[in-house]
Amino acid sequence: MTLALPARLTIGETAARSGVRTSALRYYESLGLIASERTAGDQRRYARETLRRVAVIRAAQLLGLTLREIRLALNELPQGRTPDRHDWQRLSQTWRGSLDQRIADLQALRDRLSGCIGCGCLSLESCALFNPADRAARAGAGARYLVGDPPNPESERGS
Amino acid sequence: MTLALPARLTIGETAARSGVRTSALRYYESLGLIASERTAGDQRRYARETLRRVAVIRAAQLLGLTLREIRLALNELPQGRTPDRHDWQRLSQTWRGSLDQRIADLQALRDRLSGCIGCGCLSLESCALFNPADRAARAGAGARYLVGDPPNPESERGS
DNA sequence: CTGAAACTTCAAGTACACTTGAAGTCAAGC
DNA sequence: GCTTGACTTCAAGTGTACTTGAAGTTTCAG
């Protein structure tokens, strides 16, 4: 605890300590997920608090959130002051909810898959897993990128 | 069960019945995930079995597999004959394993998140969730796209 | 037989999350 | 004060999974 750590970190130090590439940090900054001050020579200097912010970003990505969603969540943090434990707690509590939801979705999928192991899926019409309507209705938050509900329902050659 | 269903489906019929766009079906076919016969006029005709194949593909995507991985899995199906219930069972059993793994990963993440709710994460160094090494070690199969372990560990300006 | 809907190919576009490369500037130890 | 590694910007590239559009062809109900 008596370790002397610099108050401001270069992008390289921040990358090393957060486990995220410098290119990713610049990208996050370009999206408004993190912020930096600049030296006279226009180099970035990150507050130590940024390390936690980056860690939160990576954790939220594991939860399946897009960077856009994460930015919105981080914007909910109080402006103008360093977020305190209650701020982070509110955030993690919110995300815990969506994580619970995702786990429940996957468990439901597993159950349907188990049912299919039993039935052998000889009857396409009666199989819950293979029923598209059912699948669409249950597509969880985490599956958005992976499958992605098409926004418009296809009208090929439709002009 | 006495419903008269065509033996061969057009791409439009296949799309309607599988809940997948025609463009996606052509894409799957271009990747070798599904196959078609052609009419004299070069239009696609899909076997009814393709409906199940497509359903399996969508289910596997929900499990977090890439189309490439799914194609490899489908290639494990016996060549030359229509897959029977045991073939599909083997497939779903394999995938159930990885699904179990993913659920376990997410539960572990949830537990760490719960720990952070308790601790308020005031101590960056001691927080399991926010520790990059820990996160990297636990990155599960499903998180691959979302976070994606960088293949080479950064050596910026390294020539 | 005809006309419209459905099909064809191929190239290019989209979205996400970055990475890479080029060309040049800054910071700091010796 | 100089060298070298770390930094800067900006444009373009990567990979996954598709979608869209243009231009043309096929199918089938009437």
Side-chain angles (χ1 to χ4, degrees):
Chain A
M1 297 299 177
T2 51
L3 207 60
L5 288 162
R8 305 275 145 183
L9 305 171
T10 67
I11 193 170
E13 288 163 344
T14 308
R17 291 181 61 81
S18 67
V20 166
R21 304 253 222 146
T22 60
S23 58
L25 290 175
R26 290 195 195 94
Y27 179 62
Y28 293 164
E29 193 174 329
S30 78
L31 296 183
L33 284 154
I34 57 177
S36 65
E37 293 170 0
R38 297 301 183 107
T39 64
D42 214 32
Q43 291 195 359
R44 287 172 181 81
R45 290 298 181 270
Y46 290 108
R48 277 179 50 69
E49 182 211 324
T50 303
L51 288 177
R52 178 167 306 177
R53 227 176 147 87
V54 172
V56 169
I57 291 166
R58 302 303 276 186
Q61 283 186 302
L62 284 176
L63 304 188
L65 303 188
T66 62
L67 291 181
R68 188 179 145 68
E69 289 167 324
I70 296 167
R71 187 185 44 135
L72 292 175
L74 289 177
N75 283 353
E76 296 293 301
L77 291 174
Q79 313 278 346
R81 66 171 172 78
T82 300
D84 65 13
R85 53 179 300 163
H86 291 298
D87 300 324
W88 293 125
Q89 273 183 27
R90 217 160 349 98
L91 210 57
S92 49
Q93 219 136 21
T94 303
W95 287 344
R96 197 199 142 125
S98 65
L99 187 48
D100 283 341
Q101 184 57 57
R102 245 184 98 199
I103 290 171
D105 287 347
L106 282 182
Q107 276 166 344
L109 179 63
R110 179 177 63 187
D111 291 345
R112 295 209 299 292
L113 193 57
S114 299
C116 284
I117 291 173
C119 77
C121 289
L122 284 176
S123 168
L124 199 59
E125 274 69 27
S126 69
C127 178
L129 179 62
F130 288 174
N131 182 323
D134 183 64
R135 279 206 330 281
R138 285 170 168 281
R144 265 203 316 279
Y145 317 118
L146 306 177
V147 193
D149 352 32
N152 44 351
E154 171 143 12
S155 55
E156 187 151 309
R157 196 87 190 111
S159 83
Chain B
M1 295 296 175
T2 50
L3 208 61
L5 288 163
R8 304 276 145 182
L9 305 171
T10 66
I11 193 169
E13 288 164 343
T14 308
R17 291 181 61 82
S18 67
V20 167
R21 304 252 222 143
T22 59
S23 58
L25 291 175
R26 290 196 195 92
Y27 180 62
Y28 292 164
E29 192 174 331
S30 78
L31 296 184
L33 284 153
I34 57 177
S36 64
E37 295 171 357
R38 297 301 184 107
T39 63
D42 215 31
Q43 291 196 358
R44 287 172 180 80
R45 290 299 180 268
Y46 290 108
R48 277 179 51 69
E49 180 212 325
T50 305
L51 287 177
R52 179 168 304 179
R53 228 177 145 87
V54 172
V56 169
I57 292 166
R58 301 302 275 186
Q61 282 186 302
L62 284 176
L63 304 189
L65 302 188
T66 62
L67 291 181
R68 189 180 144 70
E69 290 167 324
I70 295 167
R71 188 187 43 139
L72 293 174
L74 290 177
N75 283 354
E76 296 293 300
L77 291 173
Q79 313 278 348
R81 64 170 173 80
T82 299
D84 64 13
R85 52 179 299 162
H86 292 297
D87 299 324
W88 293 125
Q89 273 184 28
R90 217 158 351 98
L91 210 56
S92 49
Q93 219 135 24
T94 303
W95 286 343
R96 194 196 145 128
S98 64
L99 187 49
D100 283 340
Q101 184 57 57
R102 252 186 92 200
I103 290 171
D105 287 346
L106 282 183
Q107 277 166 345
L109 179 64
R110 180 178 62 186
D111 291 345
R112 295 207 302 290
L113 192 58
S114 299
C116 283
I117 291 173
C119 77
C121 288
L122 284 176
S123 169
L124 199 59
E125 274 69 27
S126 69
C127 177
L129 178 63
F130 288 175
N131 182 323
D134 183 65
R135 282 207 329 282
R138 284 170 168 282
R144 266 202 316 277
Y145 316 120
L146 306 177
V147 192
D149 353 35
N152 44 351
E154 170 142 14
S155 56
E156 186 151 310
R157 194 91 190 111
S159 85

